[in-house]
Amino acid sequence: AADDFGHFIPRTPRAVLRPGSINDVVEMVRYAKKHRIKIGMRGQGHSTHGQAQVEAGIVIDSSTLASIQIKSDHAVVGPGARWREIIDASVAQGLTPPTLPNFIDITVGGNIAGGGIGGASHRHGAVVDNVLEMDVVTGLGQLRRCSAHENPALFNAVLGGLGQFGIVVRARIKLLPAKPMARMYTLKYPDFASFLADVRAPTLDGRFDHLEAEVFQDTNGIYKTVSLFAVKYYHPSAPPDDVALLDGLDPIGAEVADMPYITFLKRLDPIIDFVKSIGAWTLPHPWFDVFISESKISGYVAETLSTITSADTGGGNVLLYPCRRSKFCRPFLRIPHEDEIFFLYDILAFGPPDPAIVAQMIARNTAWNTRATNLGGKRYNIGSTNLTREDWKRYFSPLWPAVVLAKLAFDPLNVLTPGQGIFPGAGMDD
């Protein structure tokens, strides 16, 4: 509970609660409020800068609240349920969540706090755009049900609200019919400009169910070539029309692979197992994650990647997820508003077990974040960046007054989720 996936910010709590029921969470939040003790919920701890940790406070371990019930068009899940377990249960009944993260071992509760981006975000928005209803424990120790029609202010604050306004103890998530097969087209581009020219049309017309890209190194370790992974789900009786799907696209190479849908969702498992086997999973992970608009992405990627090689990232992945602004509707998940298309841009670096070098990497992330902010970009809040109160005001701008009002309404004593650093003082008077 004192660690997270970043492995470089230790924050030791006074206690860890493994709740046997939702009522245990209610009682512990009331206790924390009464005694002015900080408290927060931690799932898999997959953020990288101490976001889910609580120094000298109380950590709620969500793993004991991991129930899953699959209904005809939605799932009712506990915050500690991992996406892996949800898709195992839902796909067995011919259903699937609309948007899923690539790493399916993170929890629903953590994804709701952060927003949740995936390869389907150009069609279905973020994970939080597909949450129908929640049971939430506010910082006042009140258990409240909320949705777009019941307690909508709390509903909108919690979705993408970084744990500042309430602790999710149950969520109802939309499900769609799942097709049994996936066809993945790996489309290769010699440079970023040619990739960017091609990806626009399928992002807007939604011809593919899943879109993501990776920037690869050349023989000199310089990030240059791009592969677009475009996926179409289908029934075996009606396979995809390759010609129609690839119409208007001009890659220099293409590979096609068919696999069961569930196999596609678990495609990273062998890679993660290998990374764990060589000990890299336990290395520091000073990740950088930011949303950048379509009109700014080319220059921004060129500016950032021109300064590093694979040696500077430990060989970590550089990923891009095209998204559509009109598919994102949760106000506190901040995204660029300049263009209809924007990208989640990830540099998933591995750092050495050397605090000085990791500090340099985080300083570089911080400079990149400032540059992105100046271009109208918004940070995706799982990464490692040093942020001031002014940085948070700019992140939430122009909604900062609404954020403060929501904090006053739902956590006025400022006990919830201190690891984000948004409200660093002991109470709202700070």
Side-chain angles (χ1 to χ4, degrees):
D3 192 19
D4 67 5
F5 190 60
H7 300 311
F8 52 79
I9 296 182
R11 290 175 175 158
T12 305
R14 295 185 190 182
V16 176
L17 171 68
R18 294 190 176 93
S21 67
I22 290 173
N23 189 61
D24 286 350
V25 178
V26 172
E27 292 300 320
M28 191 57 78
V29 172
R30 289 175 178 173
Y31 179 87
K33 178 178 74 84
K34 178 179 179 180
H35 296 283
R36 296 291 190 99
I37 299 171
K38 301 288 186 178
I39 188 168
M41 181 173 279
R42 182 186 187 278
Q44 294 295 309
H46 196 64
S47 53
T48 63
H49 208 69
Q51 288 94 327
Q53 296 161 240
V54 186
E55 179 69 35
I58 301 166
V59 168
I60 301 171
D61 179 353
S62 70
S63 64
T64 56
L65 298 177
S67 61
I68 299 170
Q69 295 178 305
I70 304 300
K71 307 294 185 178
S72 61
D73 61 354
H74 66 274
V76 181
V77 301
R82 299 180 303 161
W83 288 112
R84 176 183 301 277
E85 297 149 355
I86 294 170
I87 62 175
D88 281 344
S90 65
V91 172
Q93 298 189 36
L95 299 166
T96 183
T99 297
L100 287 162
N102 267 3
F103 182 58
I104 56 176
D105 283 316
I106 57 179
T107 61
V108 168
N111 243 189
I112 288 174
I117 307 299
S121 287
H122 69 295
R123 296 190 64 185
H124 301 295
V127 166
V128 291
D129 294 299
N130 297 283
V131 176
L132 304 173
E133 183 182 84
M134 297 178 292
D135 291 343
V136 172
V137 181
T138 70
L140 294 167
Q142 298 171 338
L143 177 61
R144 299 176 66 179
R145 180 157 293 176
C146 58
S147 68
H149 307 291
E150 182 179 2
N151 295 316
L154 178 60
F155 185 68
N156 284 322
V158 171
L159 294 170
L162 305 175
Q164 297 304 299
F165 314 103
I167 294 173
V168 178
V169 290
R170 185 184 289 117
R172 184 158 64 92
I173 299 168
K174 182 191 302 182
L175 295 177
L176 299 176
K179 296 178 179 177
M181 296 295 293
R183 177 168 293 178
M184 181 162 66
Y185 303 83
T186 301
L187 309 179
K188 300 180 180 180
Y189 298 90
D191 51 44
F192 194 79
S194 56
F195 152 74
L196 198 61
D198 262 16
V199 77
R200 189 170 204 275
T203 299
L204 291 175
D205 63 32
R207 69 181 78 171
F208 294 105
D209 297 296
H210 177 106
L211 287 174
E212 69 174 287
E214 183 169 359
V215 186
F216 289 94
Q217 310 97 335
D218 62 16
T219 55
N220 297 315
I222 297 172
Y223 290 96
K224 184 178 180 181
T225 62
V226 182
S227 287
L228 173 63
F229 306 104
V231 184
K232 186 68 175 178
Y233 307 142
Y234 67 97
H235 290 283
S237 60
D241 183 339
D242 296 345
V243 174
L245 287 171
L246 299 178
D247 181 52
L249 306 184
D250 190 28
I252 59 172
E255 299 174 0
V256 182
D258 292 300
M259 64 197 78
Y261 175 64
I262 195 71
T263 301
F264 169 72
L265 296 183
K266 297 180 178 182
R267 66 197 179 280
L268 296 185
D269 285 2
I271 298 171
I272 292 171
D273 288 343
F274 172 75
V275 171
K276 289 180 177 179
S277 73
I278 62 174
W281 203 251
T282 58
L283 290 173
H285 297 93
W287 285 5
F288 179 72
D289 312 88
V290 70
F291 295 122
I292 294 287
S293 63
E294 180 188 25
S295 59
K296 301 295 196 309
I297 188 68
S298 182
Y300 186 77
V301 167
E303 182 180 335
T304 51
L305 290 187
S306 66
T307 64
I308 60 172
T309 68
S310 57
D312 298 303
T313 65
N317 303 83
V318 176
L319 303 176
L320 291 141
Y321 296 84
C323 304
R324 291 189 61 184
R325 176 172 53 85
S326 58
K327 303 295 183 179
F328 285 64
C329 58
R330 304 309 182 197
F332 285 177
L333 175 58
R334 307 302 296 143
I335 59 173
H337 281 80
E338 183 177 357
D339 306 319
E340 170 64 8
I341 296 175
F342 66 96
F343 292 82
L344 172 61
Y345 175 40
D346 297 315
I347 300 178
L348 308 183
F350 291 83
D354 184 328
I357 294 177
V358 171
Q360 292 173 5
M361 297 173 77
I362 296 172
R364 181 181 65 199
N365 290 355
T366 303
W368 284 344
N369 183 69
T370 299
R371 175 61 176 154
T373 300
N374 291 338
L375 293 173
K378 295 292 185 179
R379 178 175 182 262
Y380 185 49
N381 296 291
I382 64 170
S384 300
T385 305
N386 295 322
L387 300 176
T388 66
R389 183 70 172 273
E390 290 304 313
D391 291 326
W392 281 114
K393 289 181 180 179
R394 291 188 71 186
Y395 168 77
F396 282 110
S397 176
L399 299 183
W400 178 250
V403 170
V404 173
L405 288 175
K407 190 70 170 176
L408 288 169
F410 304 121
D411 183 29
L413 297 183
N414 191 23
V415 297
L416 296 178
T417 319
Q420 296 285 359
I422 302 171
F423 297 98
M428 285 303 299
D429 53 333
D430 299 284

